[in-house]
Amino acid sequence: MDRWRVILHLDLDAFYCQVEHKRLGIDRNVPLAVQQWAGLIAVNYPARANGVGRFCDINEAKTACPDLRLVHVETIGNTKGGKVGAVEANKGTSKASLARYRRASFEVINVMKRFSDKIERASIDEVYIDVTALVDDRLRRSGDFSDGGGLEWSESHVAEGAALNPSSEHDIRLIMGAKVCKEIRDAIKAETEYEMSAGISHNKLLSKLASAMNKPNKQTIVPTSAVPSLMSTLEYKQINGLGGKLGDRLVQLFPGLKTALDLQGVPREDLVRGLGEKTAGWLQQLCRGDCDSDVKPNLLPKSLNACKSFPASELGAVKKWLLILAEELSDRILEDHEDFGRTPRLLVLHARSSKTYEQHSSQGPMPAKWAKERLFEHAMRLFEKIQGECLPCSRLALGAAGFVAEERNMKKLETFFSAAGEAEEARPVGRRAAIGTAGGEAPSREAGGGKRSRALDAWVERAAPAEAGLAEGESTIEGAPGEAEWSVDRATLQEINRQRYLLDMISRGKGTGGGVGAPGGAAKRKKPAVGQSSLSNFFTRRPAS
Ligand code: TTP
């Protein structure tokens, strides 16, 4: 295990409830749950203390806690005026909109960005942050901690049964990580009112396990000394990645085994026989609490999607839902364009057959105008191409992908990128290596800016369709075979890849003169590089409505 890294996992507590408390000005101590149709999707901690759980139906919840405040999620659809924001709890005519929770989530990210440029959004309410560089910096500046002196960790819990060793340099790094983590959480609380729980450890696996150990609004350190006892009680299905099909396969292969420690005891050759060499190796690592996965900065979404599941439906109902999805997607594209100055090139439709449960996909160029009527018209044309296979239909997803910057913004991005290349070149080698090209990331551009670098060209050339903005599992950019008028030509694909790379560079904050800052560092930093303003606006502008 690389015990030099310090990785935080931060998870907002009862997230949707917190957003509603703030929006509606409801005291935090009032039991509250967020409802979607007849079910509860978020329950705050006072309501949990009164016996309300996420799996209660509304009547059970009200019986358990008569004072419970119920707030329905925002909906979009067949309401008077058909506007996002109208609340109509009718599953048959409208769909849930997550717009207000997404905005709140980015408010929080905006604060986190001041502390590290290595932030990976794992979901709408959880992130990983790699604070290794910041911890290095703090320890270097703070002098000698060989006896752990001066570092307070009383604000943090330590995983049960373990203790921190103040003379271990690795534990000292975690203590400093905990200090940073507390600062981040305090800044978030002060600036957004939101509370979160956090885990501090040497990798993503352990920090995620740690953040769930003492909820709500607390943080927990998992030092390596805690790992053996943790693995002996941890059900392996709770490990990220082992809950789904792989977990089911493990149950089939090794019935009776429950904990990560149990799996450690399986001979490697048995694992290899059942799962293959690569998965076996990865699994053995996980069961020892080891995980070398990097925190992958991903602040710009690769695609925007609007989805709806419904009872088996024929064409008439599909049209109705597509119009609603087109409305939601239209809002999201316009918002994204305003925030980031980028334009989607692809409209992607997925439809699931209620007979075969198979998902079919179709995609084509995004219309130049993003009004819901135009999106709907194009979506219908996409649907017609696959309707033979997916009617009756029970799920639709309409997405925008293949983002590029507009010509005028591209100029800004190019300028920014040249500056980034130069700044990169000027950095000490160690630091450059830390944000370099490992793991298939796009290469740094060579210094000098003006001409395209060979490395960049090579990256553009080999970039997979997924890198052009299609999420994993979505269909490839080439489109349905034989549909020439819808296919995306190679030059477009290359352009999409190139611009995605530039946008990625910006979203990682490269070229801003060093990404890691102290609290309040944003104000002290250099003026943002040209082209970054759209992004900064996005992260600073909008309060949750
Ligand atoms: P979670 O992080 O699973 O839960 P939570 O934040 O409500 O509570 P906790 O403090 O235990 O972490 O989910 C984050 C948000 O995602 C949640 O507030 C509501 C939403 N959500 C759904 O919409 N559907 C679901 O099935 C789940 C589990 C969550």
Side-chain angles (χ1 to χ4, degrees), residues 476-495:
T476 62
I477 206 165
E478 272 82 33
E483 294 176 351
E485 77 274 26
W486 288 112
S487 70
V488 176
D489 62 38
R490 185 169 181 74
T492 307
L493 174 59
Q494 289 188 338
E495 187 57 14

Side-chain angles (χ1 to χ4, degrees), residues 357-413:
Y357 295 102
E358 273 174 24
Q359 176 164 285
H360 299 273
S361 304
S362 176
Q363 61 204 357
M366 178 64 73
K369 297 240 159 55
W370 306 317
K372 71 172 177 184
E373 294 77 10
R374 292 288 289 146
L375 294 184
F376 170 67
E377 210 177 282
H378 279 242
M380 274 311 298
R381 282 156 72 182
L382 293 179
F383 187 78
E384 279 157 16
K385 290 171 185 292
I386 51 174
Q387 69 179 36
E389 297 138 316
C390 45
L391 277 178
C393 176
S394 58
R395 185 173 190 276
L396 288 167
L398 189 63
F403 283 92
V404 294
E406 285 166 348
E407 198 50 44
R408 63 199 157 91
N409 289 326
M410 263 320 282
K411 288 255 173 328
K412 290 182 181 178
L413 292 176

